[in-house]
Amino acid sequence: MAKAQFHKNQRVYVRPVGTWAVIERIVPQWVKDMDEPLRIHYDVGLGREFAAKELETEEVSALSHLDPEMEEWHVVRVPNKWRSADECAGHPVPGTHPVVVTGSHEGGGWRVPGVEYDMTPDRVELQAKVIAAAPKLMVLLQRVAEYARTNGENLPDEIMNVAGDADMLLSSIMGPQT
């Protein structure tokens, strides 16, 4: 069952398009013999209907939360320009190096200089995997911290310490949580 998260004439940021728009129409998808709609989409006048997870309100900044369904960071392999596969046979994947794509286009993201990769390829490979997993790790930290805030009296001290560390890390990344 779905409930509308936005209302008509509300201004929203349309993440897949990268622009602001106003909701023109709420489009529920009904199923026979159900009291509530199965899904709700929003028509913002951009040629197709968008799901709620693709929209964001003005009050919510882009970094206040990370939705792992929307943040699809991933590691791609690109060819080495500075060395052939034979010259770097000891690397984890000879002839290539990792690039973490953090946007919707393959061109955006994190890269490492070739010299740095040559010095510590295993370390750079690990960094790439950690960076690609960052949105999901942030959501996990948020869930741990929130669970501890709401169920603190029922949790052991060790878990509360871990939750406190999670909260401090989140605060250092995004500022104090409200």
Side-chain angles (χ1 to χ4, degrees):
M1 300 299 171
K3 299 225 184 262
Q5 295 179 4
F6 305 101
H7 57 82
K8 188 175 178 179
N9 297 325
Q10 182 176 4
R11 187 171 185 248
V12 292
Y13 183 74
V14 185
R15 293 182 70 177
V17 181
T19 189
W20 290 93
V22 175
I23 295 177
E24 295 177 357
R25 201 167 50 101
I26 298 173
V27 185
Q29 180 184 3
W30 292 95
V31 177
K32 187 177 179 180
D33 297 328
M34 298 295 253
D35 295 338
E36 296 179 12
L38 181 64
R39 287 186 204 101
I40 295 181
H41 288 92
Y42 302 89
D43 181 359
V44 295
L46 295 175
R48 75 170 177 95
E49 296 168 356
F50 293 90
K53 69 180 184 182
E54 298 175 297
L55 306 175
E56 200 168 286
T57 63
E58 287 181 301
E59 295 84 38
V60 179
S61 70
L63 292 177
S64 67
H65 71 283
L66 289 174
D67 182 354
E69 293 181 28
M70 290 300 295
E71 299 291 339
E72 298 175 11
W73 297 5
H74 58 280
V75 178
V76 296
R77 309 292 316 174
V78 296
N80 286 348
K81 295 179 182 176
W82 58 92
R83 290 182 136 185
S84 68
D86 297 333
E87 293 176 307
C88 56
H91 289 184
V93 183
T96 67
H97 67 282
V99 170
V100 179
V101 178
T102 57
S104 58
H105 304 292
E106 293 294 317
W110 169 88
R111 288 167 171 70
V112 65
V115 173
E116 187 176 333
Y117 184 76
D118 282 342
M119 288 190 312
T120 56
D122 291 325
R123 179 174 181 244
V124 172
E125 294 289 336
L126 179 62
Q127 288 174 345
K129 291 173 186 173
V130 169
I131 292 169
K136 291 177 178 78
L137 292 171
M138 293 235 349
V139 169
L140 182 61
L141 287 173
Q142 289 171 332
R143 288 178 56 201
V144 167
E146 181 59 31
Y147 185 80
R149 275 193 289 275
T150 58
N151 299 296
E153 65 280 348
N154 301 327
L155 297 175
D157 290 340
E158 297 85 23
I159 300 297
M160 289 303 292
N161 291 339
V162 169
D165 292 345
D167 212 18
M168 285 189 338
L169 183 56
L170 284 169
S171 293
S172 71
I173 294 169
M174 299 179 353
Q177 300 292 302
T178 56

